[in-house]
């Protein structure tokens, strides 16, 4: 059974990432990211069809046809993509469940919160109350805590974290990765009682 596709917020995050000026990845990862945003359907031979379908992507020029062609066959060999014939003329390429998981892993590993040039003087407060059982929730809580630390959040209380930058999409992506979306809340505040201390922590004016 095929797993559900990425949520809308995850798709937006993925699209922003693949179109960013700092995007760096192998040809294989580039194709996985592209396919995560929707399967590719084309007429004709496999390699030329995929090359044509991905040509409009911003970073297409970073890869030569040989790199992309090798990536197609390597992804197929590793069961990350599946190639389906639709009638006599059309071919469809899409991610397998394993491919979807690999994309999530890659996005999770490279996820960052963008710091704007000017702070909007708002605080983003993350609160979570994840159950203690079953055991998988304990693992999810610990992994979530470690990830938000790496994203630059500051811990105000046991399960209360703060960040001065817009980060809702990023946090929802992380929560979705651990299947704990319903146990988190994100609050945007314009004033905090001890914000002068936090401003120093985040080097804000």
């Amino acid at each position: 059974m095929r797993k559900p596709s990425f949520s809308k917020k995850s798709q937006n995050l993925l699209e922003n990432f693949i179109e960013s000026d700092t995007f760096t990845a192998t040809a294989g990862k580039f194709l996985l990211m592209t396919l995560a945003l929707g399967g590719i359907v084309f007429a004709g031979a496999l390699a030329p069809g995929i090359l044509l379908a991905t040509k409009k992507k911003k970073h297409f020029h970073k890869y030569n046809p040989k790199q992309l062609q090798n990536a197609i066959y390597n992804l197929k060999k590793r069961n990350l993509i599946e190639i389906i014939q639709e009638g006599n003329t059309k071919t469809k390429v899409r991610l397998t469940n394993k491919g979807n998981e690999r994309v999530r892993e890659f996005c999770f590993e490279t996820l960052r919160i963008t710091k704007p040039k000017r702070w909007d003087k708002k605080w983003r407060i993350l609160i979570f109350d994840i159950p203690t059982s079953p055991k998988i929730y304990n693992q999810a809580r610990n992994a979530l805590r470690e990830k938000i630390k790496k994203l630059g959040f500051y811990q105000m209380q046991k399960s209360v974290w703060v960040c001065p930058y817009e980060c809702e999409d990023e946090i929802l992506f992380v929560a979705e990765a651990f299947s704990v979306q319903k146990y988190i809340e994100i609050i945007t505040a314009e004033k905090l009682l001890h914000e002068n201390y936090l401003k120093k922590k985040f080097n804000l004016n």
Side-chain angles (χ1 to χ4, degrees), residues 3-202:
K3 292 182 180 179
S5 59
F6 296 95
S7 69
K8 184 64 177 176
K9 284 190 177 293
S10 293
Q11 287 179 355
N12 290 340
L13 187 64
L14 185 58
E15 191 161 7
N16 289 338
F17 176 70
I18 198 173
E19 292 294 327
S20 70
D21 292 332
T22 57
F23 177 81
T24 56
T26 63
K29 286 179 179 177
F30 168 75
L31 286 174
L32 283 178
M33 302 295 112
T34 302
L35 287 167
L37 295 172
I40 295 174
V41 180
F42 54 86
L46 177 61
I50 290 185
L51 295 179
L52 185 62
T54 57
K55 195 171 184 178
K56 293 181 180 179
K57 293 296 179 182
K58 181 175 181 179
H59 299 290
F60 173 85
H61 66 278
K62 292 183 178 180
Y63 313 99
N64 62 51
K66 185 66 175 176
Q67 287 176 311
L68 290 169
Q69 186 173 344
N70 287 340
I72 293 166
Y73 292 107
N74 286 335
L75 293 174
K76 178 69 169 62
K77 185 177 180 180
R78 293 163 58 195
N79 193 33
L80 297 176
I81 63 173
E82 57 184 344
I83 300 167
I84 304 164
Q85 291 297 135
E86 295 189 340
N88 296 324
T89 59
K90 289 186 178 180
T91 302
K92 183 174 184 177
V93 182
R94 67 185 183 188
L95 296 180
T96 61
N97 288 337
K98 186 177 178 182
N100 273 310
E101 288 304 314
R102 184 65 195 98
V103 169
R104 285 189 175 90
E105 289 170 8
F106 178 70
C107 292
F108 188 82
E109 292 163 4
T110 56
L111 187 67
R112 299 289 183 274
I113 291 174
T114 303
K115 293 183 180 181
K117 292 182 179 180
R118 291 178 62 87
W119 179 41
D120 63 3
K121 301 189 183 300
K122 294 180 181 179
W123 300 99
R124 282 75 182 180
I125 304 163
L126 169 63
I127 303 171
F128 56 88
D129 186 14
I130 301 172
T132 56
S133 62
K135 185 178 179 180
I136 191 170
Y137 280 131
N138 277 324
Q139 296 170 341
R141 186 190 306 103
N142 292 334
L144 175 63
R145 188 181 295 116
E146 287 304 310
K147 186 60 181 179
I148 60 179
K149 279 183 184 178
K150 290 180 180 178
L151 288 174
F153 275 73
Y154 175 76
Q155 187 174 18
M156 296 177 67
Q157 296 180 20
K158 186 176 181 181
S159 296
V160 181
W161 299 72
V162 64
C163 173
Y165 311 119
E166 192 170 336
C167 57
E168 182 177 335
D169 284 354
E170 289 80 359
I171 291 304
L172 288 175
F173 181 86
V174 173
E176 183 181 283
F178 297 120
S179 300
V180 293
Q181 307 95 301
K182 64 181 179 180
Y183 300 116
I184 72 164
E185 187 59 75
I186 303 170
I187 300 169
T188 301
E190 295 186 357
K191 182 74 175 176
L192 293 177
L193 182 61
H194 303 294
E195 67 176 28
N196 287 336
Y197 174 77
L198 292 171
K199 286 179 181 178
K200 291 179 181 178
K201 279 286 183 182
F202 287 102

